[in-house]
Amino acid sequence: MKNFFSRPTTFVAAAAIAFSFTACEQSDISPDADFSAQNAQAAHQSKSFNLNKVYTVNLNELNNSGVSGTATLTLMGDKLEVHIQASGLEPNKLHPQHIHGFVENNRNATCPDMSSDMDGDGLIELAEGLPSYGPVLLSLTPFPTAPDGTIDYKQTFDMTADLRPLQNRVIVLHGMTVDGEYLATLPVACGMVMNANNGKKK
């Protein structure tokens, strides 16, 4: 009888020991492990969605205005911050400024040259530049007045679908006196929007 029960008893004991080890291993796993992994993944995704895209613009003179400058556009989700610094503007005059571009086929907007002077008067009027830079997509208001001939403008706007892609757009500054008359719509500087950081965090 002793030999008959010894082997089953040994088997039961071994099974109990194996079960206890398995239970210990499972109890060693933190109940927050899965939750922490999910948090890490969510944080990574959140970070990727909050990267600021930065674009730069070199503003060059039009119509021998002597105006030059730079602009920085920072896309922050559905908001667009526009920072323009320019000099050589006519002091104490209203200077309209806009983002121009083409919506229909998203072709690249460009800055016009003197070949756009269709009437031969030596000036590129607003309408003559439209085939190059397209219609106004965003008025960068409030328009500055350049008290000392310079502007340092910063404003935040809602980012709309018409503005995308920004790298296909241009910024145009306006306003200059010609023959004693101030022409507020006359283009005085233009620059193409260039992708600066490809979506890396600013």
Side-chain angles (χ1 to χ4, degrees), residues 102-157:
F102 299 95
V103 175
E104 291 78 10
N105 53 14
N106 273 331
R107 69 181 177 91
N108 285 336
T110 60
C111 294
D113 56 27
M114 289 309 298
S115 65
S116 298
D117 178 21
M118 302 306 295
D119 59 10
D121 65 352
L123 296 172
I124 304 170
E125 282 89 7
L126 174 64
E128 291 175 325
L130 288 176
S132 297
Y133 46 61
V136 172
L137 300 181
L138 179 64
S139 293
L140 301 175
T141 56
F143 296 147
T145 56
D148 58 354
T150 66
I151 60 173
D152 189 351
Y153 169 94
K154 183 180 286 188
Q155 194 72 26
T156 301
F157 302 89

Side-chain angles (χ1 to χ4, degrees), residues 58-108:
N58 288 321
L59 295 165
N60 299 305
E61 70 172 1
L62 290 176
N63 291 315
N64 296 314
S65 66
V67 177
S68 63
T70 61
T72 302
L73 284 67
T74 305
L75 181 58
M76 304 169 290
D78 61 353
K79 298 296 181 182
L80 178 66
E81 181 186 82
V82 179
H83 186 195
I84 299 174
Q85 294 176 300
S87 61
L89 294 151
E90 193 164 337
N92 301 311
K93 297 289 187 180
L94 194 68
H95 291 281
Q97 50 188 12
H98 311 93
I99 295 178
H100 289 252
F102 299 95
V103 175
E104 291 78 10
N105 53 14
N106 273 331
R107 69 181 177 91
N108 285 336

